[in-house]
Amino acid sequence: PQGLILGNSRAEVGFDPNNTAWPETARPVYNLALPGTGTHTTLLYLQHVLEAQKAIPPKVVVWGIDFMDFLTDQETHAVKGRVEKKDLRLLANPDGTRNPSRVIQQLRDGFEATFSLGALFDSIATLKAQQNPYSEDLTSLGFNPMRDYIKITSDEGYGSVFSQKDLANTRAFSKRPRDIFDASGATSPALDDLRRVIKLCRKHNIDLRLVIFPYHAHLLEIIRLTGHWAAFENWKRAVVHIAYSEAISSNQPPIPLWDFSLFNKFTQSAVPNKGDKKSINPWYWEAGHFKSGLGSNVLGQVFGKPMLAVGMGVRLDAKNVDTVLAEQ
């Protein structure tokens, strides 16, 4: 791929590699966003891609950054040198050197996929799923069309799905730290990952675009009600600072940072009442996951091809960040 999408499930379901907003230089685009992962996995997989595409690295990367991934316990420090089994499948080690253990892991994977009962049952389930128009799926370009959610929202109604996810998000945020910095007060493992991704993209002349997701107003209110709004604002300031300080050190323009986590007519779109199984929300599956139609508008603004008359987001910089935060 010449274009790459990074992030978690929000990017996996929201950003379509086939969207017309992508510049020609970025095609073909691959969605490498991985559900349930954070900044360190993003860094590891970018290193893997750069090792695999040494001759022709990607030209464009869109990274959807998620506030929750940056919340940090001040007493917790990054564990250095720990390698998980899934990481052994990557071409590069965490430090960026080539991974010699990959061949052994591939042989183990091949054996388990051929001879294990689990693989047999998975194969049968996959064959049966071919007849189900609402089975979970990924396209060949890594995009999740959320076919399963088409049926879930139809059966339960958008109001019920929103309510269930709102409760889950409230519980999740209630258990998370309320700071984005570690004990040093200046950085954190996630912020360090951000710096490394920026430096890697600079080194390989990759056009990196950072995107703060268009959270629905329900999720924005959960961030506020669980006591995380101050950290939310500090996080945006910190990302702006990193994007600009890195630019100064490398004598290059700052990395574009687009903020779509704003209160507007899209993020405040009406949620159908519980029990209403006919009405839909045109832009969201639930408060945390936006539909690819809204993602199309996000990509359009990021690449200067706005699909809407009124912009959804704003490009944050050192001059406007405090004004934007005050307006919100």
Side-chain angles (χ1 to χ4, degrees):
Q2 288 302 284
L4 204 62
I5 299 165
L6 298 174
N8 56 22
S9 60
R10 306 188 206 280
E12 183 201 40
V13 307
F15 296 146
D16 189 343
N18 283 321
N19 193 278
T20 57
W22 290 99
E24 286 301 319
T25 55
R27 300 177 187 277
V29 181
Y30 189 82
N31 192 324
L32 191 55
L34 297 164
T37 63
T39 58
H40 195 60
T41 298
T42 294
L43 171 63
L44 294 180
Y45 273 73
L46 177 60
Q47 290 179 161
H48 168 83
V49 171
L50 294 175
E51 186 68 25
Q53 297 180 213
K54 279 186 173 180
I56 311 177
K59 292 184 174 65
V60 178
V61 169
V62 170
W63 181 12
I65 55 176
D66 197 348
F67 169 56
M68 183 176 276
D69 293 339
F70 287 79
L71 291 171
T72 302
D73 186 341
Q74 289 191 349
E75 303 304 319
T76 300
H77 301 279
V79 178
K80 304 294 184 182
R82 184 179 64 185
V83 179
E84 298 182 21
K85 181 179 178 180
K86 63 181 177 62
D87 299 337
L88 294 175
R89 300 184 174 98
L90 301 178
L91 282 166
N93 290 314
D95 62 1
T97 59
R98 192 166 183 85
N99 175 21
S101 303
R102 184 172 190 256
V103 174
I104 297 173
Q105 185 60 47
Q106 285 181 310
L107 291 173
R108 289 173 177 168
D109 288 342
F111 179 83
E112 292 176 5
T114 306
F115 298 107
S116 70
L117 279 176
L120 174 63
F121 293 144
D122 286 345
S123 299
I124 295 171
T126 300
L127 289 172
K128 292 174 68 175
Q130 306 307 306
Q131 310 305 317
N132 179 6
Y134 303 111
S135 61
E136 296 182 54
D137 194 20
L138 284 181
T139 69
S140 60
L141 296 178
F143 174 65
N144 183 350
M146 293 290 273
R147 299 195 318 192
D148 51 326
Y149 259 65
I150 296 174
K151 181 169 178 57
I152 291 171
T153 52
S154 175
D155 290 347
E156 300 182 22
Y158 276 81
S160 294
V161 174
F162 261 79
S163 180
Q164 293 168 23
K165 195 65 176 181
D166 286 348
L167 182 60
N169 283 328
T170 301
R171 287 172 173 167
F173 268 100
S174 296
K175 297 176 182 177
R176 297 301 292 267
R178 289 173 173 77
D179 205 338
I180 62 163
F181 299 114
D182 59 19
S184 72
T187 189
S188 71
L191 292 173
D192 288 342
D193 290 336
L194 173 62
R195 292 185 179 92
R196 289 185 63 186
V197 168
I198 291 176
K199 288 179 179 179
L200 275 175
C201 289
R202 290 290 202 201
K203 179 180 178 181
H204 294 274
N205 296 314
I206 297 171
D207 180 3
L208 172 65
R209 312 287 177 102
L210 298 174
V211 173
I212 299 175
F213 294 118
Y215 303 129
H216 190 274
H218 279 208
L219 185 53
L220 292 174
E221 282 296 285
I222 288 170
I223 291 172
R224 181 180 67 86
L225 291 168
T226 55
H228 288 86
W229 196 264
F232 191 42
E233 292 186 339
N234 287 335
W235 170 61
K236 293 183 183 183
R237 292 188 183 98
V239 176
V240 168
H241 174 73
I242 290 172
Y244 273 74
S245 60
E246 193 282 332
I248 293 172
S249 64
S250 60
N251 198 27
Q252 296 188 52
I255 298 295
L257 168 63
W258 285 90
D259 183 7
F260 293 92
S261 63
L262 310 173
F263 289 98
N264 54 47
K265 66 178 182 180
F266 304 101
T267 61
Q268 291 177 262
S269 53
V271 177
N273 294 324
K274 275 189 175 182
D276 181 354
K277 298 183 180 180
K278 293 183 178 180
S279 301
I280 67 169
N281 184 292
W283 306 117
Y284 292 85
W285 297 107
E286 31 80 2
H289 291 85
F290 54 96
K291 295 181 178 180
S292 59
L294 191 64
S296 176
N297 296 321
V298 169
L299 292 172
Q301 195 163 348
V302 167
F303 290 114
K305 301 177 182 179
M307 312 290 179
L308 302 168
V310 179
M312 293 170 44
V314 61
R315 181 172 171 179
L316 293 181
D317 57 40
K319 294 181 179 179
N320 73 357
V321 60
D322 287 323
T323 301
V324 172
L325 295 178
E327 289 173 348
Q328 292 306 306

Short mmCIF file of all heavy atoms in Angstrom, two decimals, residues 16 47 112 117 138 149 249:
data_model
loop_
_atom_site.label_atom_id
_atom_site.label_comp_id
_atom_site.label_asym_id
_atom_site.label_seq_id
_atom_site.Cartn_x
_atom_site.Cartn_y
_atom_site.Cartn_z
N ASP A 16 -12.67 4.18 5.16
CA ASP A 16 -12.72 3.23 4.05
C ASP A 16 -11.53 3.48 3.11
O ASP A 16 -11.36 4.59 2.60
CB ASP A 16 -14.04 3.41 3.29
CG ASP A 16 -14.26 2.32 2.25
OD1 ASP A 16 -13.30 1.62 1.88
OD2 ASP A 16 -15.42 2.18 1.80
N GLN A 47 6.44 -0.05 12.09
CA GLN A 47 7.81 -0.55 11.89
C GLN A 47 7.80 -1.80 11.01
O GLN A 47 8.69 -1.98 10.17
CB GLN A 47 8.45 -0.86 13.25
CG GLN A 47 8.76 0.39 14.07
CD GLN A 47 9.38 0.06 15.43
OE1 GLN A 47 10.00 0.92 16.05
NE2 GLN A 47 9.21 -1.16 15.90
N GLU A 112 -0.14 -25.13 13.72
CA GLU A 112 -1.39 -25.01 14.48
C GLU A 112 -2.59 -24.83 13.56
O GLU A 112 -3.69 -25.33 13.83
CB GLU A 112 -1.29 -23.86 15.47
CG GLU A 112 -0.29 -24.11 16.60
CD GLU A 112 -0.13 -22.90 17.51
OE1 GLU A 112 -0.86 -21.91 17.31
OE2 GLU A 112 0.73 -22.95 18.41
N LEU A 117 -7.50 -28.78 16.39
CA LEU A 117 -8.96 -28.85 16.34
C LEU A 117 -9.57 -27.45 16.25
O LEU A 117 -10.60 -27.25 15.60
CB LEU A 117 -9.50 -29.56 17.59
CG LEU A 117 -9.45 -31.10 17.57
CD1 LEU A 117 -9.91 -31.65 18.91
CD2 LEU A 117 -10.32 -31.64 16.45
N LEU A 138 -14.05 -8.61 7.04
CA LEU A 138 -13.09 -7.58 6.66
C LEU A 138 -12.94 -7.65 5.14
O LEU A 138 -12.91 -8.74 4.56
CB LEU A 138 -11.72 -7.81 7.30
CG LEU A 138 -11.51 -7.47 8.77
CD1 LEU A 138 -10.07 -7.77 9.17
CD2 LEU A 138 -11.82 -6.01 9.04
N TYR A 149 -23.39 -5.25 12.64
CA TYR A 149 -24.12 -4.16 13.31
C TYR A 149 -25.38 -3.75 12.55
O TYR A 149 -26.29 -3.16 13.12
CB TYR A 149 -23.20 -2.96 13.53
CG TYR A 149 -22.69 -2.87 14.94
CD1 TYR A 149 -21.85 -3.84 15.46
CD2 TYR A 149 -23.07 -1.83 15.77
CE1 TYR A 149 -21.38 -3.79 16.74
CE2 TYR A 149 -22.61 -1.74 17.07
CZ TYR A 149 -21.77 -2.73 17.56
OH TYR A 149 -21.32 -2.68 18.85
N SER A 249 12.57 20.92 15.72
CA SER A 249 13.84 20.18 15.80
C SER A 249 14.27 19.63 14.44
O SER A 249 15.47 19.46 14.19
CB SER A 249 13.72 19.04 16.81
OG SER A 249 12.76 18.09 16.38
#
